[in-house]
Amino acid sequence: MYDLQDAILMVASDRISTYDVVHPTPIPDKGKVLTGLSVFWFRRTVDIVPNHFVSSTDGVPDEVRGRALNVRRLEMLPLECVVRGYLSGSGWKDYQRTGAVCGIELPAGLRESEQLPEPIFTPATKADVGDHDENVDSERAAEIVGDRATVGHDENISEAQAAELCPPGTLKVARDYAIELYKRAAGYARGRGIIIADTKFEFGLATDGEVTLADEVLTPDSSRFWPADQWQPGANPPSLDKQYLRDWLDVQGWDRMPPAPDLPPDVVERTRAGYVEAYERLTGRTFT
């Protein structure tokens, strides 16, 4: 992130992280895929929610052109807004243990990778460096965001504390935007042969307090993409995202603690191929 005074230059590198730890081995073209897909989705969803995208050329130096964006400055919400349409990953583990995901009770007897009756909002913390993100329920999410609506009428707070709180209903607005964005994207992607099993959005507040979409959007780093023709309930389908890399690391027995291991060339190429395929399927363009 680079300060442009009235805006921010957001540069996506080719480095990749798993389990909140950055690997020393880059994935070639990853930054371009994430940037190109984010711009694609920003333009397709601006009628749903305003976003921070300004330009991919104006104010972008030539040396980072293609993997950098000029974006609006926002006050970011300290929460990842995760939407799940299918039962997988940490959501599947939660369901096996409790029958719920982030406190949301689900029907009994669901299988791994099964489509949920309706998409659900399952927020997660933004962990500090060295820590891991954690799924939280809506009540805890509201506390983290500092939504004014969560402050009781009888609770005495100072003006300074009040200034740090978000406008009333901020979390609900972010949740509603996230679910609508997911539904729009999932329907479009299914027509392109991709299932978006889950994804995370990040929002910030503009100077007027308007909830605004930010960061990267619906990329292989922030989403779980499955080839639709290889999906079936009860199995863990192959992916066009970083899940392939996570699965490979689990087989290697990595304890998910720093330092992250180097990645061999074949794993790097397989990861890159999945990212590029996701880009080409979703945008309908050849990646260059």
Side-chain angles (χ1 to χ4, degrees), residues 56-127:
S56 57
T57 55
D58 295 345
V60 178
D62 290 341
E63 57 266 35
V64 293
R65 188 71 58 87
R67 59 184 183 89
L69 300 178
N70 180 339
V71 300
R72 295 164 57 195
R73 187 185 299 274
L74 304 172
E75 184 67 33
M76 296 300 294
L77 301 183
L79 197 72
E80 294 186 343
C81 294
V82 180
V83 180
R84 302 175 188 273
Y86 293 75
L87 196 54
S88 188
S90 61
W92 168 242
K93 293 177 182 176
D94 287 350
Y95 175 77
Q96 287 180 295
R97 186 171 60 254
T98 67
V101 179
C102 292
I104 301 173
E105 294 291 334
L106 295 175
L110 295 179
R111 294 165 290 177
E112 183 178 13
S113 305
E114 188 157 357
Q115 185 173 14
L116 300 173
E118 289 290 333
I120 58 175
F121 177 69
T122 60
T125 61
K126 288 184 183 179

Side-chain angles (χ1 to χ4, degrees), residues 201-233:
F201 300 103
E202 297 203 26
F203 296 95
L205 298 179
T207 53
D208 61 358
E210 185 174 41
V211 176
T212 303
L213 181 63
D215 198 54
E216 62 180 291
V217 181
L218 293 154
T219 71
D221 264 20
S222 64
S223 313
R224 199 182 305 268
F225 292 149
W226 296 334
D229 60 356
Q230 298 182 60
W231 165 79
Q232 62 179 7

Side-chain angles (χ1 to χ4, degrees), residues 48-49 81-83 119 121 172-184 199-201 203 213:
I48 295 176
V49 54
C81 294
V82 180
V83 180
F121 177 69
K172 181 182 185 304
V173 172
R175 181 194 67 198
D176 291 349
Y177 276 152
I179 290 176
E180 190 171 355
L181 285 166
Y182 173 81
K183 288 181 176 179
R184 165 78 65 83
T199 192
K200 69 99 175 172
F201 300 103
F203 296 95
L213 181 63

Side-chain angles (χ1 to χ4, degrees), residues 139-269:
E139 183 176 347
R140 176 59 182 143
E143 292 175 358
I144 293 171
V145 168
D147 194 323
R148 286 180 187 270
T150 67
V151 178
H153 295 297
D154 297 330
E155 185 174 354
N156 295 319
I157 60 174
S158 68
E159 289 186 9
Q161 288 173 317
E164 294 178 354
L165 297 176
C166 294
T170 295
L171 183 62
K172 181 182 185 304
V173 172
R175 181 194 67 198
D176 291 349
Y177 276 152
I179 290 176
E180 190 171 355
L181 285 166
Y182 173 81
K183 288 181 176 179
R184 165 78 65 83
Y188 169 85
R190 193 63 186 258
R192 294 281 181 169
I194 288 181
I195 289 173
I196 304 178
D198 53 55
T199 192
K200 69 99 175 172
F201 300 103
E202 297 203 26
F203 296 95
L205 298 179
T207 53
D208 61 358
E210 185 174 41
V211 176
T212 303
L213 181 63
D215 198 54
E216 62 180 291
V217 181
L218 293 154
T219 71
D221 264 20
S222 64
S223 313
R224 199 182 305 268
F225 292 149
W226 296 334
D229 60 356
Q230 298 182 60
W231 165 79
Q232 62 179 7
N236 188 20
S239 65
L240 300 175
D241 53 64
K242 69 166 65 173
Q243 189 60 45
Y244 161 77
L245 180 54
R246 294 190 193 100
D247 292 343
W248 181 84
L249 288 163
D250 289 344
V251 171
Q252 309 311 305
W254 178 44
D255 62 5
R256 305 185 182 182
M257 299 298 293
D262 290 312
L263 306 177
D266 62 319
V267 172
V268 170
E269 179 51 35

